[in-house]
Amino acid sequence: MSLGQSSPSRRALLAAAALLPLAGGEAEASAAAPKSAQDYYDRAARLAGDDPVLRALVKALAPGLAMPPVKPLKPLRIFDDVAVVGTTFVQATALLTSRGVILIDAMGSPDDAKDIIIPGLRSVGVDPSHIKYVVAAHGHNDHFGGARFLADRYGARVMMSRADWDLIAADRPAHAPKRDLEISDGQRLTLGDTTIVFHHTPGHTPGTVSPVFPVRWKGRRHTAMLWGGTNPPATITAKRTYLSSVRSFTSTMRRAGVDVELNNHGGADHGLARIEELRAGSPSGRNPFVIGRSRTQRFMKIMETMLRGRIVQDREAGTGAPSAGGAASPGRSPRACC
């Protein structure tokens, strides 16, 4: 197993981009551009058409986000080498390599790790003692809550960006993992026959990370991405950072040839329905998570368009405070959602 790190130049460029006017200057205000938040939302809906994955994303990024109720999700291998366990609110994604498991996200608590992740992995033929790394895509408790339990029980290393390690150090939430490995932008993690590349995509939190990694379906190789944090942040400044991340990651996906879209909240991208579709089986053997390169690019374009609308909506309201979509699900802090 090995860890690699790229130069910090991309991080600096991303931070600088967040300070630039949207769409390269005053083009945003031009007659050809949408003039209101609703104009952006309508444009995103037209881009989505009748595609259920893209329509779900429009709904997830619109003001008034409401995640589905929490209930068990029957675990499933969604690829030959990827398993998903969790609830209808949040999922943990296990990458199954020849030398162990890389677990992306660890749900909300030690009980989630003990009662959902461990038995869920066993039910799909994965030994949880083979977890070598637990990656927290961002520093909200529904993504790192079970990490310390898994680290203590199995000796797994816990990974998070420096900014989000700092976030949880400041917040001091219950069940926070001990500070361990920091994820740098562009870092590669190789375990056995699998290399995952981490990309900083700040916005949802200061240190949200979105990975790109290979997957196999019926022996055929594909390239997957997992967007690390979906719900738009509260302030205009943070939304601008999020928008810069979307645009940068879109280019990254294009260069990598990403044709698989994944999310750690399956309610945000029709993922829960796709899991059940896959579980039911398809005569063609089609995997609904393989959506193709053009649809993954359109997915990101819709995300960009919806973010622009949310920024305009904040301007129309004359505030950078949370709009209706900043609310979390019942019983959860807005800083610990999606």
Side-chain angles (χ1 to χ4, degrees):
M1 64 190 76
S2 64
L3 289 166
Q5 179 174 331
S6 69
S7 68
S9 59
R10 183 176 176 275
R11 183 191 305 178
L13 289 172
L14 183 61
L19 302 177
L20 296 175
L22 296 180
E26 297 303 319
E28 179 190 25
S30 70
K35 295 180 179 180
S36 70
Q38 191 59 51
D39 288 339
Y40 279 105
Y41 301 152
D42 291 345
R43 174 176 286 189
R46 289 194 297 271
L47 284 170
D50 59 1
D51 187 314
V53 175
L54 305 184
R55 286 167 60 93
L57 181 64
V58 172
K59 182 177 180 180
L61 293 175
L65 171 70
M67 298 300 289
V70 177
K71 64 179 180 180
L73 174 73
K74 189 175 179 182
L76 186 69
R77 288 203 188 201
I78 61 171
F79 287 93
D80 300 346
D81 48 3
V82 178
V84 174
V85 300
T87 68
T88 56
F89 176 74
V90 65
Q91 294 86 51
T93 303
L95 279 57
L96 315 177
T97 84
S98 59
R99 296 291 298 274
V101 176
I102 301 171
L103 186 71
I104 303 174
D105 293 321
M107 302 187 63
S109 69
D111 284 345
D112 284 348
K114 180 169 59 75
D115 299 334
I116 297 175
I117 294 176
I118 290 175
L121 290 176
R122 285 176 175 153
S123 74
V124 293
V126 178
D127 186 344
S129 70
H130 292 170
I131 298 173
K132 304 300 182 184
Y133 295 96
V134 178
V135 177
H138 66 262
H140 285 161
N141 63 1
D142 54 329
H143 297 269
F144 66 71
R148 184 167 185 169
F149 181 91
L150 297 170
D152 290 345
R153 173 165 289 195
Y154 301 123
R157 305 297 302 271
V158 181
M159 304 181 67
M160 199 182 310
S161 70
R162 175 181 295 182
D164 277 14
W165 279 121
D166 291 346
L167 177 68
I168 66 173
D171 286 353
R172 302 179 67 182
H175 315 306
K178 297 176 182 177
R179 190 160 190 150
D180 195 1
L181 300 177
E182 293 181 356
I183 300 173
S184 61
D185 188 37
Q187 178 177 324
R188 295 173 178 267
L189 168 65
T190 297
L191 183 63
D193 55 357
T194 299
T195 296
I196 181 171
V197 184
F198 299 106
H199 300 276
H200 284 188
T201 52
H204 180 70
T205 64
T208 299
V209 171
S210 297
V212 173
F213 48 92
V215 298
R216 292 190 179 276
W217 177 244
K218 299 186 182 301
R220 184 174 180 179
R221 189 185 188 281
H222 298 274
T223 301
M225 70 81 156
L226 191 151
W227 185 248
T230 300
N231 195 21
T235 68
I236 288 178
T237 298
K239 286 185 179 75
R240 282 180 174 271
T241 300
Y242 190 127
L243 180 57
S244 294
S245 295
V246 167
R247 296 178 69 185
S248 175
F249 194 62
T250 300
S251 297
T252 296
M253 289 167 53
R254 185 184 300 112
R255 291 192 300 270
V258 168
D259 62 346
V260 172
E261 178 277 323
L262 302 174
N263 195 292
N264 42 29
H265 288 279
D269 69 341
H270 200 59
L272 298 173
R274 286 187 281 169
I275 288 172
E276 296 311 314
E277 179 185 340
L278 189 58
R279 194 191 313 278
S282 167
S284 67
R286 170 184 170 272
N287 187 314
F289 289 99
V290 181
I291 66 173
R293 296 184 184 188
S294 62
R295 282 175 76 198
T296 61
Q297 289 291 300
R298 182 168 289 201
F299 185 94
M300 299 304 291
K301 185 63 178 178
I302 287 171
M303 192 178 293
E304 175 186 340
T305 305
M306 291 299 295
L307 259 292
R308 291 185 184 279
R310 294 292 292 269
I311 291 168
V312 171
Q313 179 169 328
D314 284 352
R315 287 176 176 167
E316 291 171 343
T319 177
S323 57
S329 63
R332 291 179 181 265
S333 162
R335 296 192 68 186
C337 178
C338 317

